[in-house]
Amino acid sequence: MPDILATSYAPKSLNDLETLLKNDIKVKVAVDGVLRGKYMSKEKFLSAASSDGFGFCSVIFGWDIHDAVYSRELLISNRANGYRDILAVIDLSTYRRLPWENNVPFFLVSFLDPDTKEPICVCPRGTLKGVTDRAAEYGWTCYAGVEYEYFNFKETPQTVADKRFHNLEPLTSGMHGYSLLRPQLNNEYFNDLFDVSAVFEVPIEGHHTETGPGVFETALAYTSAQRMADNALLFKFLAKSMGMKHGVIPSFMAKPWGNLPGCSGHVHVSLRNSSGANIFAIAKEEVEAGGRKGAANEDTKYVSQEAEWFLAGVLEGLPDIMPMLVPTVNGYKRLVGGEAFWAPNAVTYGYDSRAASIRIISPPSVSPSATRFEVRVPGADMNPYFALSAIIALGMRGIQRKVELTGPPVSQLSPEDKKSGKVKMLPTSLESATQRMMAPGSIAREEDVFGSDFVEHYGGTREHEVKLWNEAVTNWEVERYLELV
């Protein structure tokens, strides 16, 4: 099988690397999450590539997206350890060149503890690798796809700052999903997103306008979970870079407008065995016979027993890992009352249902080899490494423990469903979601999911976000209370 992790021209040895870089004087490296990085001289880079890595300030695990130190001291980076260096290890398989930066070489890195040389527990790339490595012990390879919806604004970083982020101008007006006309208004930008992605080895399957002023949707080509997370992160970087070129700001914020649909980050997942066969699929003969005997219900008769256990595992743990799928205060605005916008806010599943939290995609709507689950809870603001890690870890737990699927499929919630407790609702705020994830009995704390070290650190970062929100005074509050209370 081809190397599904590596780009097509990734070096296979240090000699290959030196040959690839023979005409370069510098290299760009980047760390995941909110993409950060720096230029390195070629000499420094080659030295790091041939050794254990290079020192990188651990403060990237100690501050938020606006470079503010977290409200309380966390595990990896803190005053007590002096925000010491950690080891950044270059992943040669991620080699690309940046077409919009004079084709400078570009690599992603992962992080190790400088003392133990073990992966840092909250390194996003390392976290996902740990999960996919556990799947590999069973002979399985994790596959995934990501679809992003995102608003685009006819603005620049300077204009939005000058406007104090108010009255921003959308790229186009009106609601025009799947429009053939609206992309003509910004043709170069719209096509650059697709074309430059291909050159950058972030292949796209579909690219179109979505409902909402200036909204695009881009579906990234299905591949291995690790490569998919890299591609999802790098697509955001590319989109923002292309936006700067064309005077556009693409926003992956989950809910920029209160009265319009939000921006999803739907995740598709499946598992394949060593021969490349999809273990979620059932045999052609079973499909022709009307589905698998012994399935929990009609909705799961076209998926395998392993797939049903995987689904049950994700559903069981979903409320406990919500901050991994919806990491921002704003993201929950997309889910609250989101049924009208196909934004699920309950523990639900359904066959080919876009109203459920987990959509089962299987025959007869697709061929057996394309059988998969679409997790529709995440917004475009997700960290793809953490979202994929959570989904796959829960699904693997479901298979290992043979978790039974309980409850019927529910595609559309009724008021009675919510009142009766027949359907479990998901947390409605980052605060409640974080509290649940950090609770002593949380599934997230189990060692075969994330473990307590991860939960304490990541949960602490989310507590910080909640604290900043609770301290903020919003325009809504001023307009509502200033005069009349």
Side-chain angles (χ1 to χ4, degrees):
M1 293 178 64
D3 187 347
I4 53 175
L5 292 176
T7 58
S8 63
Y9 36 69
K12 294 181 172 56
S13 68
L14 288 174
N15 286 337
D16 287 348
L17 180 62
E18 291 180 5
T19 300
L20 284 170
L21 303 182
K22 66 180 180 180
N23 296 321
D24 297 291
I25 62 171
K26 61 187 177 184
V27 178
K28 196 166 201 175
V29 296
V31 302
D32 48 31
V34 173
L35 205 61
R36 304 176 187 266
K38 63 180 179 179
Y39 281 122
M40 297 174 68
S41 71
K42 181 171 69 174
E43 292 72 25
K44 173 69 174 177
F45 175 84
L46 289 172
S47 173
S50 61
S51 62
D52 290 334
F54 62 97
F56 204 109
C57 181
S58 65
V59 75
I60 58 170
F61 289 103
W63 61 21
D64 65 15
I65 61 174
H66 288 283
D67 292 6
V69 176
Y70 288 123
S71 306
R72 66 177 175 87
E73 297 284 76
L74 299 176
L75 178 66
I76 308 301
S77 181
N78 50 58
R79 294 180 185 87
N81 65 25
Y83 302 102
R84 66 174 184 164
D85 274 0
I86 50 180
L87 277 177
V89 180
I90 299 159
D91 186 343
L92 297 184
S93 74
T94 64
Y95 168 68
R96 293 165 168 82
R97 289 180 179 267
L98 298 176
W100 58 91
E101 285 191 47
N102 299 318
N103 278 328
V104 64
F106 176 87
F107 296 83
L108 292 172
V109 304
S110 299
F111 290 99
L112 303 180
D113 184 285
D115 298 325
T116 66
K117 303 297 190 296
E118 293 293 321
I120 287 175
C121 69
V122 291
C123 169
R125 293 190 84 238
T127 298
L128 180 55
K129 185 176 185 302
V131 173
T132 57
D133 282 351
R134 293 204 296 272
E137 293 174 3
Y138 290 83
W140 299 332
T141 301
C142 306
Y143 273 74
V146 167
E147 304 169 5
Y148 279 131
E149 297 169 357
Y150 47 105
F151 281 81
N152 294 273
F153 296 93
K154 198 176 294 184
E155 303 283 355
T156 68
Q158 187 60 54
T159 63
V160 296
D162 291 344
K163 293 180 177 182
R164 297 180 181 271
F165 295 86
H166 296 302
N167 299 319
L168 305 185
E169 183 179 356
L171 194 58
T172 59
S173 60
M175 312 285 272
H176 296 280
Y178 298 104
S179 174
L180 294 181
L181 293 177
R182 279 299 183 269
Q184 306 308 314
L185 297 173
N186 303 277
N187 189 273
E188 289 188 9
Y189 169 62
F190 182 81
N191 281 285
D192 268 357
L193 290 173
F194 196 110
D195 299 344
V196 179
S197 288
V199 176
F200 196 43
E201 295 221 8
V202 177
I204 290 172
E205 285 186 350
H207 182 54
H208 58 87
T209 62
E210 185 52 277
T211 298
V215 181
F216 294 166
E217 177 174 336
T218 304
L220 304 180
Y222 211 68
T223 185
S224 74
Q226 191 80 38
R227 178 71 187 273
M228 185 71 260
D230 287 346
N231 287 355
L233 179 77
L234 293 176
F235 178 75
K236 285 187 177 183
F237 176 47
L238 179 147
K240 293 171 184 178
S241 298
M242 291 302 97
M244 288 180 177
K245 173 184 173 183
H246 294 284
V248 174
I249 288 183
S251 174
F252 295 85
M253 182 177 175
K255 187 74 170 173
W257 304 105
N259 61 340
L260 293 173
C263 296
S264 70
H266 297 157
V267 174
H268 296 247
V269 292
S270 61
L271 299 175
R272 298 186 189 179
N273 63 22
S274 57
S275 65
N278 186 340
I279 73 162
F280 286 1
I282 60 173
K284 181 181 178 182
E285 295 75 21
E286 288 182 288
V287 175
E288 293 173 347
R292 174 174 59 90
K293 291 181 172 58
N297 52 57
E298 284 290 305
D299 281 45
T300 60
K301 68 180 182 179
Y302 288 114
V303 300
S304 69
Q305 177 63 75
E306 288 82 4
E308 192 173 283
W309 287 330
F310 187 101
L311 172 62
V314 176
L315 290 168
E316 182 180 50
L318 188 60
D320 288 1
I321 53 85
M322 278 294 287
M324 311 288 289
L325 306 185
V326 186
T328 67
V329 168
N330 176 258
Y332 293 82
K333 303 288 178 72
R334 171 178 162 266
L335 300 183
V336 174
E339 295 101 321
F341 296 131
W342 292 352
N345 54 10
V347 181
T348 56
Y349 70 97
Y351 178 79
D352 205 16
S353 172
R354 287 182 169 83
S357 288
I358 302 179
R359 175 186 172 210
I360 302 170
I361 304 173
S362 63
S365 63
V366 296
S367 67
S369 63
T371 298
R372 63 196 186 274
F373 296 121
E374 179 188 17
V375 183
R376 298 178 58 82
V377 176
D381 55 353
M382 68 170 176
N383 179 317
Y385 300 97
F386 287 155
L388 279 169
S389 296
I391 293 164
I392 295 168
L394 291 179
M396 289 287 296
R397 178 182 179 274
I399 294 175
Q400 291 159 1
R401 302 189 184 197
K402 298 183 179 180
V403 175
E404 291 188 12
L405 190 62
T406 59
V410 177
S411 289
Q412 186 170 356
L413 294 178
S414 67
E416 291 71 28
D417 289 332
K418 298 178 184 179
K419 290 178 183 177
S420 68
K422 172 186 173 184
V423 175
K424 294 180 182 177
M425 303 304 294
L426 294 171
T428 57
S429 69
L430 181 60
E431 184 168 16
S432 61
T434 302
Q435 289 171 349
R436 175 149 187 169
M437 185 181 77
M438 297 186 73
S442 168
I443 288 175
R445 287 190 180 274
E446 296 178 6
E447 289 303 319
D448 58 349
V449 182
F450 293 112
S452 284
D453 282 351
F454 177 93
V455 168
E456 287 299 319
H457 182 100
Y458 184 73
T461 71
R462 298 308 87 201
E463 287 178 334
H464 167 83
E465 201 75 6
V466 169
K467 180 176 182 292
L468 295 181
W469 168 246
N470 287 341
E471 292 172 349
V473 177
T474 66
N475 286 346
W476 182 90
E477 294 167 278
V478 174
E479 291 171 9
R480 189 165 184 85
Y481 302 127
L482 180 71
E483 178 189 3
L484 299 178
V485 296

